[in-house]
Amino acid sequence: MSIKHWSYEQYESKEGIDLLERTHEISEKIKAKWISPDMSVEELEQYVNQQFDELNRLVRLEEWRVLHLVDLKEAFLTAQAAEKISEISVHTEKLQEEMDSVTQQLSELDQIEQNGVAPMHLAPLLAARPPHPPEALVEPMPLNPDLRLR
C-alpha cells in the first residue's frame, strides 16, 4: 500500500495513527534484529535508523492529520459564526423596518392631531374606533350647585 493511499485512509477514518502501538511494533522489530546472529553491527545500525526514520515519518503524518482537523474545525466554526451574524443582520433589518413604520405612523398621527384631518389610509382605523370612550371609563363628576351657565 502506498504512503499516500495509506495516509488518505487514516485521514478518512479520522482515527489517525496509533503512535504508541507503532512505537511498540518498531521496538519489537529492533529487539528481534538485535538478537539475530546474522546481522552485522553496520546492518543493525542501518536497520535501527530506518525504523526511527519510519517512526518520525508517522509522527509527522499524524501531526499533519491533526493540524488539518484543527483547520477544518476552524473553518466550521467560522462558517457557523458567519451564519449567526447573517441571521442577526436579517433580524436587525426587520426591526429597523418595523421602527421606521412605527415612526412613520407616529408622524402621521401627530399630523392628524395638528391638522384635525386624517390621511386617507388611516381613515378606516379611525372609523373603527368608538367616537366616545366607553361609559365605564368615564367617571361621573358631582354637580356643583354654584356653577351656572352664562
Side-chain angles (χ1 to χ4, degrees), residues 8-17 62 65 69 72:
Y8 178 76
E9 284 179 355
Q10 291 294 322
Y11 170 72
E12 281 299 300
S13 71
K14 294 197 176 33
E15 292 174 12
I17 302 165
E62 182 64 6
R65 188 190 70 81
L69 289 175
L72 290 175

Side-chain angles (χ1 to χ4, degrees), residues 123-143:
L125 292 174
L126 294 174
R129 289 194 311 187
H132 302 293
E135 293 176 10
L137 296 178
V138 177
E139 293 182 30
M141 292 182 62
L143 292 176

Side-chain angles (χ1 to χ4, degrees), residues 105-119 122 126 129:
Q105 289 175 3
L106 287 174
S107 174
E108 290 175 3
L109 288 175
D110 188 41
Q111 184 182 14
I112 290 170
E113 283 183 353
Q114 290 177 6
N115 298 339
V117 177
L122 291 180
L126 294 174
R129 289 194 311 187

Side-chain angles (χ1 to χ4, degrees), residues 11 14 67-77:
Y11 170 72
K14 294 197 176 33
L67 290 174
H68 186 68
L69 289 175
V70 168
D71 288 343
L72 290 175
K73 183 171 185 170
E74 178 186 24
F76 175 74
L77 292 175

Side-chain angles (χ1 to χ4, degrees), residues 43-79:
E43 290 173 326
L44 183 60
E45 190 174 288
Q46 183 181 6
Y47 182 77
V48 168
N49 284 332
Q50 287 173 344
Q51 293 303 305
F52 276 94
D53 286 346
E54 172 65 7
L55 186 58
N56 282 327
R57 185 189 69 78
L58 294 174
V59 168
R60 286 190 311 273
L61 186 61
E62 182 64 6
E63 176 187 24
W64 173 86
R65 188 190 70 81
V66 171
L67 290 174
H68 186 68
L69 289 175
V70 168
D71 288 343
L72 290 175
K73 183 171 185 170
E74 178 186 24
F76 175 74
L77 292 175
T78 300

